[in-house]
Amino acid sequence: MEQEKVIKAALLGFGTVGGGVYKLAGRLADEMQKKAGARLEIKKILVRDMTKPREGVSPELLTDDWNEILSDPEIEIVIELMGGIEPARTYVSQALEAGKNVVTANKDLLAEYGGELLEKSKENGKDLQFEASVAGAIPVIRALKHSLSGSIITEVSGIVNGTTNYILTKMSEKGMDYQEALQMAMEKGYAESNPEADVEGYDAGRKIAIMASIAFNSRVTFPQVYTEGITKITAGDIRFAKEFGYVIKLLGIAKLEEGEILVKVHPVLLPEDHPLASVRNSFNAVFIHGEACDDAMFMGRGAGEMPTASAVIGDVIDVMGNIVHGCCGRTGCTCYKELKVKEIGDSASKYFLRLKVEDKPGVLANIAGVLGNNGVSIAQVVQKKSENQVAELVIITDEVMEKNFNASIQTVRQMTALKQVASIIRVY
Ligand code: NAP
Ligand code: HSE
């Protein structure tokens, strides 16, 4: 009888995702063997703190010495689940140079150094797979790289951060305030240990940089992504948005516009009937438009132990199959174009604008005049009487260049009748 092939791997990190991958690999051992044509053996697990209790893991698997893994010729797959840039960048790079394949969920790493690491994987004829780095269990990397490669993709937009979607859903549906909703998201384990990356849009920014690079075949790195988070969104914004028929969501948006890439993350007023508007709580969704494929939308769990482990194991099975068939390193970097990333000021948007102004004749007309002088046309306006001779104006504009809108707001801020620019949110 032919001996069963065994492929040996090492896990770097045994936290939420690493622990999930270890459990799932055990649970799916037979399935993986049938799908890939080999059994997976986790030979080593790299951790930082050797004294931490690790339930269900035999202690001899654990190490805090990377060189023990790097120098082991039997280890063919390195599964990087530590997070952060260093030492992950060095370890992934060294693993590829040493002829090992790599699977990672590390969006921080991919969004800044994806280009160099993919080149390294190609040079060494090894796989570098990273499905779990964007939107957890949702199969968007493989879809963009393979399934949709028969289309010129012109847009990839989506809700790609579960924490902020959860917060906005709770604020909108339960009337919770921002801090209370954030606390709940942290208790549920959706948020990063420092939730700044979630609420300031950096996590979504890294994911949209990775997706834009693949979708438009041109490298986009995280520092090129305009990011704005949800920390300034108030219950008042959500209430007024609802009155106009919108919900507020944090979107990552990447578009191909006249041969240039627009890539940004910010809150938007989304029409209630847009497919992304119904994506609630911690769910993620990615909307793709391509010239031949038309519209496609993927929705699912963007974070958490098992959803993320599912995507990692999917990649591992693929790499194992490649090892069995001797064909690793087929898909390296697909960024064969060098497209310009647009300045945010050169993009166009509609705006939702809330102003508190003195309640006296002529103020609305003056504001409309300032907006008009900068080419900003008003699509809708409501005036709410507030207290102490202060009125609240809520305006939705037609589409305008961002730099023209900003110029008009600079002038509005100098008007003596203005009490406060309460909020400015783009409309999708
Ligand atoms: P985590 O719970 O903080 O776990 C990190 C693990 O890495 C820990 O076991 C830690 O060791 C180990 N580690 C960190 N730095 C190390 C170092 N220098 N040397 C050795 N070991 C080190 O993180 P996670 O939530 O599992 O996330 C892992 C990766 O998956 C990140 O790139 C994250 O962005 C990505 N991801 C996470 C999710 C999610 O839902 N959590 C979803 C998608 C993608 P100790 O245990 O000894 O501290
Ligand atoms: N903190 C992230 C989120 C985890 O809320 O979506 C997955 O990247």
Side-chain angles (χ1 to χ4, degrees), residues 169-224:
T169 305
K170 292 299 172 212
M171 286 174 74
S172 168
E173 295 179 6
K174 305 273 182 216
M176 273 184 204
D177 71 23
Y178 170 79
Q179 280 303 338
E180 191 187 354
L182 171 60
Q183 190 56 39
M184 281 188 68
M186 291 178 72
E187 282 162 15
K188 286 186 173 287
Y190 303 141
E192 306 287 317
S193 49
N194 175 4
E196 189 193 9
D198 296 299
V199 299
E200 295 295 354
Y202 309 149
D203 177 74
R206 293 181 173 115
K207 292 166 180 169
I208 200 73
I210 296 170
M211 289 196 290
S213 300
I214 301 169
F216 308 136
N217 301 109
S218 181
R219 178 67 49 199
V220 175
T221 59
F222 172 58
Q224 294 176 293

Side-chain angles (χ1 to χ4, degrees), residues 13-17 47-49 52 54 81 83 105-107 304 308:
F14 199 75
T16 307
V17 184
V47 292
R48 199 170 20 193
D49 179 358
K52 253 192 213 175
R54 318 271 177 181
L81 305 167
N106 191 333
K107 60 219 157 203
T308 312

